[in-house]
Amino acid sequence: MLRRVAPADPRLERIGNLVRTGPIQQDDLAAARNQANQGQAAEAVQSYRRLFHGDRPPPQYAREYYQTLAATSGGWDQARDGLADLVRAQPDNLQAQLAYA
């Protein structure tokens, strides 16, 4: 209904992310974060992708996902673009701005 009434509403993407991703399992999120903290960036990215059902993270996890992706071989460009999108979508998010800088 919202899509028909207001197709450009920015909340549509957030709602779509929530529906696609479903509930985030905190144990799985902790495991991905642990892999990233241990320097296992490629493994962490795969864990995040399983958790998010693809390579498009929910906004609340986007910064950490893209920072981890940037540490992988060949992931820098996608990470930079993802952080740029995050900053555009959330211009008041200082953590995203710092990560993008």
Side-chain angles (χ1 to χ4, degrees), residues 2-69:
L2 180 59
R3 191 174 306 279
R4 280 184 285 177
V5 174
D9 192 305
R11 294 174 291 183
L12 286 170
E13 182 177 355
R14 190 169 359 125
I15 292 167
N17 280 337
L18 289 171
V19 169
R20 180 180 43 79
T21 304
I24 299 295
Q25 299 299 317
Q26 293 303 305
D27 289 344
D28 294 338
L29 179 61
R33 288 174 170 166
N34 187 51
Q35 288 172 320
N37 289 334
Q38 297 296 319
Q40 301 169 344
E43 294 85 352
V45 166
Q46 291 306 313
S47 294
Y48 280 122
R49 286 179 175 165
R50 279 191 302 277
L51 188 63
F52 304 148
H53 305 286
D55 63 356
R56 184 125 188 203
Q60 67 268 34
Y61 302 110
R63 181 184 50 83
E64 69 183 81
Y65 170 77
Y66 290 126
Q67 286 180 302
T68 303
L69 180 62

Side-chain angles (χ1 to χ4, degrees), residues 58-94:
Q60 67 268 34
Y61 302 110
R63 181 184 50 83
E64 69 183 81
Y65 170 77
Y66 290 126
Q67 286 180 302
T68 303
L69 180 62
T72 65
S73 177
W76 169 248
D77 289 334
Q78 184 182 357
R80 182 195 59 227
D81 294 346
L83 286 169
D85 289 345
L86 181 62
V87 168
R88 277 191 293 277
Q90 299 178 9
D92 295 333
N93 184 334
L94 296 178

